[in-house]
Amino acid sequence: MARCKVKGSANGPKCEPRMTDTKFQKVRESTKRAGVMGWPVDHSLSPRVHGYWLKTYGIDGRYDRLPVAPQDILTRLRALEADGFVGCNVTVPHKQAALAGVDEAHPLAARIGAVNTVVVRPDGSLYGFNTDGFGFIENLAQGHKGFTAASGPAVVLGAGGAARAIVAALLDAGAPEVRLLNRTIEHAEALAVDLAGFGVGMLTVENWTSRADALAGAALLVNTTTLGMQGKPPLELDLSDLPGDALVNDIVYAPLETPLLAQARLRGNPAVDGLGMLLHQARPGFEAWFGRSPEVTDDLRSYVLAGD
Ligand code: ATR
């Protein structure tokens, strides 16, 4: 049985280490700790992102992968403060459960139905928010100068968790129209019901089979499905009707250049890859935990892509 420290106890009672982390007991009291809870979480690039920033800004902090099984997520969140954490990210499959696990959620996170960032407040209570939509918008703004959601209709493919945050962010940022298309139309309809009344734009659900037609007049095309991801089939989409200046974005970042992005660039459309969304969505959490607003730079991109 290992020993772990509990707040208010000088030596700490005997207990199991809360997190699967061999260096758990070596962390100094002053070191601010955060991490990402997921199941599995081995693939997560977040430790590389936050690790880079901690080093770059000379902050006494650490950020770890925290494997947490679905049945343990609420307990683990509740134990954050006792475990010496200032907060954490939550990723698949915990984002919905985390919403129920925090004491207070940002209205946007409540609307989306998912929390990806948790902060332990000074009184020990947990505050949850969702930074996926922020990361999405910031990635487009950085990757394509002059981008604004208000510039025209957006076509969003997919209706999973990522699509939920992206559609909310687009409407929130003033998109006049969002056309949502998904293989299972019921999932798109459910999303549209949940986000009804968000922003001033119109949210319409269209048939997956007519996705090529939905591109007419669009200013933005976003793929949030898993199609095009390593090991998955490519997204089959005829881009003929897409205006030549429409921005194309794929939230898939493995590979970085998906078949969709390659196809878009080939016909002259501007295109932004998905890595930046991952990098930008990490910024608000880092700032809340470690007190410094971090930057997404080319050097960070290269470092993250280089892998462990
Ligand atoms: P995430 O939370 O990252 O968005 P997800 O919830 O698993 O991931 O969503 C995956 C999306 O990819 C869904 O929109 C899914 O469509 P369904 O709702 O019909 O499942 C979409 N998707 C996955 N495989 C697909 C395929 N072969 N063809 C079309 N869409 C697919």
Side-chain angles (χ1 to χ4, degrees):
M1 193 77 95
R3 290 177 78 84
C4 68
K5 198 143 181 357
V6 170
K7 200 184 173 203
S9 148
N11 302 312
K14 280 193 158 191
C15 60
E16 293 287 347
R18 297 259 185 207
M19 303 297 172
T20 316
D21 176 3
T22 50
K23 294 180 190 140
F24 184 73
Q25 295 167 71
K26 292 182 191 158
V27 180
R28 288 198 306 274
E29 196 72 45
S30 60
T31 304
K32 286 185 173 174
R33 292 202 68 183
V36 53
M37 296 187 183
W39 189 259
V41 75
D42 297 349
H43 65 282
S44 174
L45 291 175
S46 293
R48 255 186 111 64
V49 179
H50 289 278
Y52 174 93
W53 284 331
L54 287 169
K55 195 159 178 243
T56 302
Y57 302 125
I59 294 170
D60 181 14
R62 53 180 291 167
Y63 184 103
D64 296 298
R65 289 190 178 88
L66 308 169
V68 174
Q71 65 272 19
D72 296 331
I73 183 65
L74 295 182
T75 318
R76 293 303 197 211
L77 285 173
R78 285 285 142 213
L80 274 172
E81 192 195 18
D83 285 338
F85 281 68
V86 290
C88 70
N89 284 126
V90 287
T91 187
V92 179
H94 301 317
K95 290 186 185 184
Q96 283 80 18
L99 178 63
V102 295
D103 298 293
E104 188 187 343
H106 186 282
L108 183 63
R111 196 72 185 260
I112 296 167
V115 156
N116 76 340
T117 307
V118 176
V119 171
V120 179
R121 293 191 287 204
D123 65 358
S125 63
L126 302 179
Y127 182 68
F129 46 107
N130 192 305
T131 65
D132 287 332
F134 169 84
F136 168 75
I137 296 283
E138 289 289 300
N139 180 35
L140 296 191
Q142 189 179 40
H144 185 61
K145 297 290 170 240
F147 165 80
T148 155
S151 65
V155 175
V156 176
L157 305 177
R164 212 161 257 270
I166 285 168
V167 170
L170 283 169
L171 292 170
D172 207 29
E177 182 188 349
V178 176
R179 304 170 190 160
L180 185 60
L181 299 96
N182 191 52
R183 175 182 60 178
T184 312
I185 196 163
E186 291 78 11
H187 296 167
E189 286 168 346
L191 192 162
V193 167
D194 289 349
L195 295 183
F198 215 79
V200 290
M202 198 165 56
L203 176 54
T204 57
V205 174
E206 301 184 22
N207 273 314
W208 179 247
T209 45
S210 54
R211 56 194 181 279
D213 303 330
L215 302 178
L220 174 68
L221 165 65
V222 186
N223 174 42
T224 78
T225 75
T226 49
L227 295 170
M229 195 182 274
Q230 248 158 33
K232 305 273 182 188
L235 168 67
E236 280 174 27
L237 182 58
D238 178 357
L239 297 182
S240 306
D241 283 347
L242 186 71
D245 58 352
L247 178 61
V248 179
N249 170 239
D250 204 325
I251 70 159
V252 167
Y253 56 82
L256 210 49
E257 185 77 350
T258 62
L260 172 66
L261 294 184
Q263 190 188 345
R265 284 191 225 273
L266 203 59
R267 67 191 294 279
N269 283 85
V272 174
D273 68 53
L275 181 64
M277 179 174 165
L278 172 88
L279 305 180
H280 283 283
Q281 66 76 34
R283 283 169 44 203
F286 188 90
E287 184 170 3
W289 305 319
F290 301 115
R292 169 101 193 223
S293 173
E295 262 188 280
V296 172
T297 59
D298 288 344
D299 195 47
L300 170 66
R301 273 179 71 90
S302 309
Y303 178 79
V304 169
L305 286 172
D308 283 328

